[in-house]
Amino acid sequence: MSVQGFELIETRELDELNSTGRVYRHATGARIVSIANPQDENKVFGITFRTPPTDSTGLPHILEHSVLCGSQKFPVKEPFVELLKGSLKTFLNAFTYPDKTCYPVASQSEQDFYNLVDVYLDAVFHPRLTPDVLKQEGWHYEVEEDGTLTYKGVVFNEMKGENSSPERVMAELCQQILFPDTTYGVDSGGHPQAIPDLTWEQFEEFHKDYYHPSNAWIWFYGDDPEDRRLAILDEYLSGFEPRQIDSNVARQPRWTQPRSVQETYSVSDQDTDDDGGKSMIAVNWLLGEPVDYETRLGLQILDYILIGTSASPMRKALIDSGLGEDLCGGGMETELREIFFSVGLKGVAEVDEARVESLVIETLQRLAKDGIDIETIRASLNTVEFRLRENNTGSYPRGLILMLRSLARSLYDEDPFVPLGFEKPLAAVKARAEDGSGYFEGLIRDHLLANSHRATVFLRPDAEHDAREEQVETERLAAARATMSEDEVIQLRNDAQRLKELQEAPDQPKDLAKIPRLKRGDLEPKIRVVPIEQTTVAGAPVWYHDLFTNGIVYLDVGFDLRTVPQQLLPYLSLFGRCLFEIGTEAEDFVRLSQRIGSRTGGMWAHTLVTPQRHSRDALARFQVRGRAMLNQMPDLIDILRDVLLTVNLDNRERFLQMVLEEKAGEEAGLIPGGHSVVGLRLRSQFDEAAWVTEQMEGVSYLFFLRSLVDQIENDWAGVLAQLQAVRDHIVQRSTILVNATLPDADRAQLEPHLAKLIEDLPAGDGKQAVWTPSYQSGHEGLTLPAQVNYVGKGVNLYDTGYTLHGSVGVITRTLRNGYLWDRVRVQGGAYGAFCSFDHFSGLISFGSYRDPNIADTLAVYDGAGDFLTSLELNDDELTKGIIGAIGELDSYQLPDAKGYTSMVRNLIGVDDAYRQKMRDEVLSTTAKDFRVFGEALSGLAAAGRVVVLGSKEGIEAANAEREEKLEVLAVL
Ligand SMILES: [Zn+2]
């Protein structure tokens, strides 16, 4: 194959991927990696530029947002949003890394895929960058009524949110401290204090310099024809001349002495009083740039050996020390030019800070000297090998993960295919691990212990932190204001007004029509069906899904959760962890963990709690999941039996460790996951499923964990009795349901083992407990030290007269990608806003993410009903909504997810007839459906409940302004 302008550099068979890879060079210097995989319909394209920043203004990040705000061929405000609204995309996003910016898209439909590619290529090469775009996405001044200035901007606010999370601050510090002399020494995302330094000239220049084919790495993957790939590229690349571009990432000069740094993070006053504060400490090493892939793989496996499971020796030493609550540090970071390793503890008292660093180093010394348990090494090797072979990327397209893996080397001009193959390096590492030469111990010595390029980061709580940052900002704004003439202030007001008008002005229909899109007739009218056969084994229900799984068995073993008394519900997550992380009567948890690691592809427990179709009661099940190669399956089932029947719950010390980890995890999740916290808390006021989940995962669970710490101390016997009661209620044959995803031909091998497991379980009577949820009434303001808010509001639409219709999927998408996006994100400056509707409970809930506002956002939600009833919906917009909703229904799933989804649907009464009816209703949605829904939604303003998570000051200010008062509850 030859297309003018492209030189084929290399063709390689990629056995591990069942694919053929080709590398092309375009005349402009653009590097193209083209992977043909006829078995994968989930096609992926990505274009990446090397974008090393020189300061922390967030320039690459703001540019990433901005190029998606309209381009030459697609002159609308946000083509990206038009694609979100009306494509079958299975992935559509952009990422800024410390040294690169990636623009990936994916779709299962070839035409849709090329539509996405077209819009993305035009966006990156021909964006309509204007000072207004920089203002909107980056930063600008706004003049308040009293004449003072404030900063506004999407990225400005996004990074304020990011910097409210101590975990993110820590991760950024660990990287920056190790690389002070390179581009990795600054924040590519942008620090709120530095973002306002960015000028339009720098912004425009950066795009000109770096968004050029000579600085581009392009990726195609999937089952589409390769000549079509080159043809579309040619359209864009041929307009450019090759150019010399200096975007090299320098290597960091080495230190001869370790360093350390101390910083503070924000906490509320009460936090620092109670236990003297909680520091985070991480020890970091710069490992450099090993050229051979074997060493790189070896280091990744070493990472898993040291901290991959709760039984891993480094993790265990840190947790056993009792110095902190949970690990911090990101482990082995391999996506930048040079590898670094980071490990430490969070939740550390100030007096213990120094001991963390010495403990990390002593542990490494001990492992290097005494050797690592060979069973731990084997378990880690098996786990990593299983993951490489399974290549289970969850909801991410496989081709995207492969692209990122390849870029981790090709961006520095190395072979793009080497990181995609693993057989050879894996075989070499396995051989070395078993040859008695102490391979991993050697890696510890050479790359960590003998490495003086080490830095320890201390991040300490400080109740004054926020006030100090605010003062810096206020003074800076005041100084800027002082230099302005009255005319300039008037100009600023006018600018802000003009920006607002631009944001509010609708795109021209003729411009919107330029965005390429499928037609309604291109959509598949029939639902996709997952095979299921419902049978019984040893008297118990077993559901099979006959799918190709590449030799793997996916097993879900579930029990009824409604047998568990209400007051025990908060124990469920801990009980699930106990099964695999506390040990059995015969094995301590290290041995058990080694057995799981070396004989399976992983096992864990979780709860499945959801509203259902034919009942007002929640479906509630306790699920154990496991995956293994077919020949490992008897081991998997043996382990299941051992943990279910002989888990050794009486281990106070280990249980306390898990409770502290859970608590630290819940606390760390409050800021990055604030929208989920708010959403769950809100829904828990309306339906049983959410109420139960809130007890097990929400703010109520966090409060439970805090009191449990004392209870373990004072009344272990009482806690143990509760845990044992949970097990006795859960583990019974009478409520078991097994779900297995594997090819029919392999069933015969599974069944005898399954039958034995089922027979060994205690019979039980399946007696149901009575749950009496105490639904909150009123509105809540949950406070924590953050500079952003998460604002939620919801109402039950079945109470306000709505009857379920499939069109609701189209309508909520339209609200999300249009109404809410424009008002809460673009105009309000929040990072995002959502709404979702539950078919079975009837609850519609709205939520915002990293939001500078509260009252304004709530007013937007309240206006949604009127917006829908008065909406003049043209056919074009309606079609977009329908395409997007179908895309959501047909989201891409790997076999394990298909089997699981099918099980859930069958449990909650969602049959194929129902799904087809909903799909038909999506496809035949009309403008009238929008009005009917809008009328029901008008009830939100008066009848809705509000939950906000945010700063105390923000919530108090909202209370002063609004009639619906938020009841204040401090969570952090
Ligand atoms: Zn962003």
Side-chain angles (χ1 to χ4, degrees):
M1 178 189 337
S2 89
V3 173
Q4 217 186 351
F6 294 91
E7 185 192 347
L8 177 62
I9 306 286
E10 189 191 352
T11 302
R12 209 179 301 177
E13 291 309 317
L14 306 170
D15 296 336
E16 288 94 331
L17 307 178
N18 295 316
S19 304
T20 307
R22 291 191 177 80
V23 179
Y24 298 90
R25 235 340 148 133
H26 187 257
T28 53
R31 308 145 183 88
I32 297 107
V33 173
S34 175
I35 312 261
N37 182 344
Q39 269 92 47
D40 200 341
E41 59 176 338
N42 203 8
K43 292 162 267 293
V44 175
F45 160 81
I47 181 160
T48 298
F49 301 99
R50 220 157 49 186
T51 50
T54 53
D55 57 38
S56 294
T57 57
L59 177 41
H61 179 194
I62 297 168
L63 190 56
E64 172 224 305
H65 280 237
S66 300
V67 303
L68 299 171
C69 293
S71 60
Q72 225 169 60
K73 237 166 106 178
F74 310 111
V76 299
K77 284 185 292 183
E78 292 184 277
F80 174 73
V81 181
E82 300 309 315
L83 296 176
L84 274 184
K85 284 180 188 168
S87 85
L88 297 177
K89 50 98 187 152
T90 52
F91 193 86
L92 178 72
N93 212 332
F95 319 120
T96 305
Y97 282 77
D99 57 7
K100 63 179 181 258
T101 312
C102 307
Y103 296 86
V105 299
S107 178
Q108 300 170 86
S109 144
E110 187 174 321
Q111 190 49 50
D112 190 57
F113 178 64
Y114 277 95
N115 293 344
L116 297 168
V117 174
D118 195 17
V119 174
Y120 258 41
L121 281 171
D122 202 57
V124 296
F125 287 124
H126 309 294
R128 294 194 310 171
L129 299 178
T130 65
D132 282 336
V133 170
L134 172 60
K135 283 181 182 156
Q136 174 180 299
E137 297 300 325
W139 75 277
H140 65 276
Y141 290 119
E142 251 169 46
V143 189
E144 298 295 304
E145 270 166 33
D146 64 3
T148 55
L149 300 180
T150 54
Y151 293 124
K152 289 275 157 65
V154 173
V155 169
F156 179 79
N157 202 61
E158 180 188 342
M159 297 317 293
K160 273 212 162 177
E162 287 274 331
N163 280 293
S164 296
S165 158
E167 279 73 18
R168 197 268 171 186
V169 171
M170 187 66 173
E172 196 59 42
L173 274 173
C174 289
Q175 177 198 309
Q176 289 182 19
I177 177 92
L178 285 176
F179 295 95
D181 307 316
T182 79
T183 193
Y184 301 144
V186 299
D187 187 345
S188 64
H191 192 282
Q193 281 176 9
I195 290 172
D197 291 332
L198 179 60
T199 67
W200 162 249
E201 289 70 27
Q202 292 168 326
F203 183 66
E204 202 184 17
E205 199 61 31
F206 197 83
H207 180 266
K208 275 204 198 108
D209 285 348
Y210 292 137
Y211 280 51
H212 186 280
S214 306
N215 190 44
W217 281 255
I218 297 169
W219 171 271
F220 276 99
Y221 167 93
D223 64 356
D224 54 313
E226 285 193 87
D227 46 358
R228 194 166 180 189
R229 298 174 176 179
L230 298 184
I232 193 166
L233 286 180
D234 185 54
E235 231 178 275
Y236 283 95
L237 302 183
S238 58
F240 291 86
E241 294 297 325
R243 203 206 282 167
Q244 206 54 38
I245 293 172
D246 181 12
S247 60
N248 279 328
V249 176
R251 294 186 57 170
Q252 167 64 40
R254 289 319 153 99
W255 307 337
T256 50
Q257 288 296 321
R259 298 182 184 180
S260 72
V261 64
Q262 281 120 46
E263 285 282 346
T264 60
Y265 73 94
S266 168
V267 285
S268 58
D269 297 340
Q270 78 205 41
D271 244 18
T272 35
D273 306 336
D274 66 15
D275 52 10
K278 303 163 193 152
S279 297
M280 298 171 82
I281 295 113
V283 190
N284 307 278
W285 284 266
L286 178 58
L287 277 63
E289 191 179 25
V291 283
D292 63 303
Y293 202 65
E294 189 185 311
T295 306
R296 298 184 70 86
L297 186 63
L299 288 170
Q300 287 174 39
I301 295 170
L302 177 66
D303 179 44
Y304 195 84
I305 290 174
L306 291 174
I307 57 173
T309 74
S310 52
S312 301
M314 174 62 80
R315 180 179 292 270
K316 189 165 181 301
L318 285 165
I319 296 296
D320 283 351
S321 74
L323 296 173
E325 294 178 345
D326 199 359
L327 252 58
C328 76
M332 204 68 77
E333 170 55 64
T334 57
E335 281 201 296
L336 305 181
R337 174 159 188 189
E338 298 191 79
I339 295 178
F340 68 94
F341 181 70
S342 173
V343 69
L345 274 174
K346 64 171 99 163
V348 178
E350 206 171 333
V351 291
D352 292 329
E353 280 181 359
R355 291 172 57 199
V356 175
E357 184 187 49
S358 47
L359 178 61
V360 167
I361 292 167
E362 284 159 20
T363 305
L364 292 172
Q365 285 166 338
R366 176 171 58 78
L367 291 169
K369 184 165 153 285
D370 302 347
I372 303 164
D373 184 342
I374 188 69
E375 291 307 322
T376 296
I377 292 176
R378 285 175 187 151
S380 303
L381 278 166
N382 179 69
T383 301
V384 172
E385 177 174 0
F386 190 97
R387 288 181 185 173
L388 286 168
R389 292 191 193 289
E390 183 191 29
N391 192 16
N392 192 324
T393 51
S395 60
Y396 278 67
R398 279 186 167 144
L400 173 62
I401 301 299
L402 294 171
M403 176 185 98
L404 296 173
R405 216 186 274 168
S406 174
L407 273 171
R409 295 323 300 151
S410 65
L411 195 76
Y412 316 105
D413 302 319
E414 286 182 24
D415 189 329
F417 295 133
V418 167
L420 304 180
F422 55 82
E423 293 291 3
K424 264 217 264 165
L426 181 66
V429 170
K430 280 165 82 171
R432 281 167 169 275
E434 294 285 352
D435 71 6
S437 65
Y439 172 63
F440 289 107
E441 292 81 356
L443 291 180
I444 292 176
R445 268 191 302 272
D446 297 347
H447 291 273
L448 299 173
L449 290 173
N451 179 356
S452 53
H453 199 108
R454 185 180 88 218
T456 305
V457 178
F458 298 86
L459 189 62
R460 300 194 173 113
D462 181 357
E464 305 299 313
H465 178 95
D466 268 0
R468 246 188 350 257
E469 299 242 302
E470 248 163 65
Q471 200 190 342
V472 170
E473 190 176 307
T474 311
E475 281 171 7
R476 189 169 169 181
L477 286 163
R481 175 72 181 80
T483 65
M484 288 179 191
S485 67
E486 275 317 300
D487 283 351
E488 284 172 309
V489 174
I490 292 170
Q491 184 63 42
L492 279 186
R493 281 191 207 271
N494 292 343
D495 283 352
Q497 184 56 31
R498 195 176 37 80
L499 186 60
K500 191 156 180 276
E501 282 161 15
L502 275 177
Q503 290 167 345
E504 285 171 4
D507 287 314
Q508 298 289 327
K510 69 167 173 40
D511 292 331
L512 283 171
K514 291 175 183 161
I515 307 261
R517 191 167 60 239
L518 298 178
K519 296 181 200 58
R520 271 196 235 186
D522 297 330
L523 300 173
E524 171 57 50
K526 292 271 171 277
I527 56 164
R528 297 180 176 204
V529 179
V530 179
I532 180 168
E533 189 187 327
Q534 297 171 305
T535 174
T536 55
V537 172
V542 175
W543 296 354
Y544 286 115
H545 309 282
D546 175 22
L547 294 167
F548 175 73
T549 55
N550 211 8
I552 298 170
V553 183
Y554 296 100
L555 203 61
D556 300 288
V557 175
F559 301 93
D560 195 353
L561 191 57
R562 301 197 69 100
T563 54
V564 176
Q566 180 170 321
Q567 75 276 11
L568 296 181
L569 290 174
Y571 282 97
L572 260 296
S573 157
L574 286 161
F575 172 71
R577 284 190 61 179
C578 283
L579 287 182
F580 300 104
E581 294 181 51
I582 206 166
T584 63
E585 286 162 15
E587 280 173 311
D588 67 16
F589 86 97
V590 173
R591 293 283 157 234
L592 175 66
S593 179
Q594 289 168 344
R595 185 151 69 111
I596 293 169
S598 56
R599 313 271 181 85
T600 79
M603 300 175 76
W604 65 97
H606 68 112
T607 54
L608 165 63
V609 182
T610 168
Q612 48 186 338
R613 187 171 160 213
H614 296 298
S615 166
R616 293 196 59 102
D617 292 338
L619 173 96
R621 308 215 29 108
F622 178 81
Q623 299 286 134
V624 180
R625 301 201 78 187
R627 51 189 59 191
M629 302 306 295
L630 188 61
N631 66 359
Q632 297 173 323
M633 183 262 310
D635 290 307
L636 178 95
I637 291 181
D638 281 346
I639 294 169
L640 253 176
R641 176 190 297 101
D642 290 350
V643 300
L644 289 171
L645 295 177
T646 70
V647 57
N648 177 22
L649 297 165
D650 191 4
N651 185 341
R652 175 160 106 171
E653 207 179 331
R654 180 70 197 122
F655 187 72
L656 177 63
Q657 289 173 353
M658 285 193 281
V659 172
L660 290 172
E661 279 171 11
E662 286 277 302
K663 180 175 88 67
E666 289 289 317
E667 287 170 346
L670 285 171
I671 290 173
H675 57 307
S676 317
V677 174
V678 163
L680 183 56
R681 188 81 175 173
L682 179 66
R683 295 196 309 277
S684 75
Q685 301 188 13
F686 293 87
D687 76 75
E688 192 190 47
W691 183 83
V692 170
T693 308
E694 217 275 330
Q695 303 296 305
M696 300 190 304
E697 293 170 14
V699 169
S700 300
Y701 180 51
L702 174 58
F703 291 158
F704 165 79
L705 288 169
R706 286 179 181 154
S707 68
L708 189 57
V709 173
D710 293 332
Q711 228 184 309
I712 293 168
E713 209 62 45
N714 302 322
D715 178 23
W716 169 242
V719 174
L720 178 61
Q722 307 271 54
L723 276 172
Q724 282 163 339
V726 169
R727 181 184 58 183
D728 295 344
H729 286 292
I730 293 270
V731 182
Q732 42 177 303
R733 192 163 65 224
S734 61
T735 72
I736 196 173
L737 168 74
V738 178
N739 189 62
T741 304
L742 78 171
D744 272 353
D746 297 339
R747 266 205 223 169
Q749 285 192 60
L750 171 66
E751 237 159 59
H753 297 278
L754 213 47
K756 179 81 173 55
L757 170 71
I758 293 164
E759 282 156 6
D760 286 349
L761 296 176
D765 56 8
K767 189 168 174 288
Q768 306 276 291
V770 179
W771 293 346
T772 51
S774 51
Y775 297 115
Q776 299 261 338
S777 57
H779 312 288
E780 260 190 328
L782 309 170
T783 66
L784 80 182
Q787 301 186 24
V788 287
N789 308 298
Y790 303 83
V791 182
K793 185 163 188 180
V795 72
N796 190 323
L797 292 186
Y798 294 159
D799 293 346
T800 61
Y802 183 66
T803 311
L804 177 64
H805 188 267
S807 60
V808 66
V810 183
I811 299 165
T812 49
R813 281 187 65 82
T814 306
L815 280 178
R816 229 163 38 220
N817 294 326
Y819 179 79
L820 292 173
W821 181 282
D822 292 344
R823 286 160 187 78
V824 180
R825 177 174 162 120
V826 179
Q827 290 158 33
Y831 188 66
F834 322 92
C835 72
S836 64
F837 177 79
D838 187 277
H839 281 199
F840 306 130
S841 71
L843 178 69
I844 182 152
S845 52
F846 289 82
S848 69
Y849 190 57
R850 291 188 197 143
D851 191 344
N853 309 307
I854 295 176
D856 290 355
T857 300
L858 289 168
V860 172
Y861 299 160
D862 288 346
D866 285 349
F867 168 80
L868 290 175
T869 44
S870 61
L871 183 63
E872 300 275 339
L873 193 68
N874 63 37
D875 194 58
D876 212 46
E877 288 297 311
L878 186 56
T879 301
K880 256 188 275 186
I882 291 172
I883 296 171
I886 290 292
E888 216 170 297
L889 291 178
D890 292 346
S891 61
Y892 187 76
Q893 290 189 315
L894 293 171
D896 61 317
K898 281 185 184 159
Y900 183 77
T901 303
S902 168
M903 174 191 78
V904 175
R905 281 181 190 145
N906 277 279
L907 282 169
I908 64 175
V910 170
D911 53 25
D912 289 345
Y914 173 85
R915 290 179 58 222
Q916 186 63 52
K917 177 169 180 282
M918 287 296 127
R919 191 178 185 94
D920 294 345
E921 290 176 0
V922 166
L923 288 166
S924 61
T925 300
T926 65
K928 181 166 166 271
D929 297 320
F930 279 67
R931 281 195 297 279
V932 170
F933 188 83
E935 275 157 25
L937 187 54
S938 321
L940 177 73
R945 301 265 172 74
V946 177
V947 177
V948 177
L949 177 72
S951 70
K952 193 155 165 265
E953 298 72 31
I955 285 170
E956 281 167 357
N959 272 345
E961 193 178 330
R962 301 179 70 256
E963 248 169 68
E964 293 165 333
K965 301 297 177 207
L966 305 169
E967 201 175 312
V968 177
L969 177 66
V971 294
L972 203 65

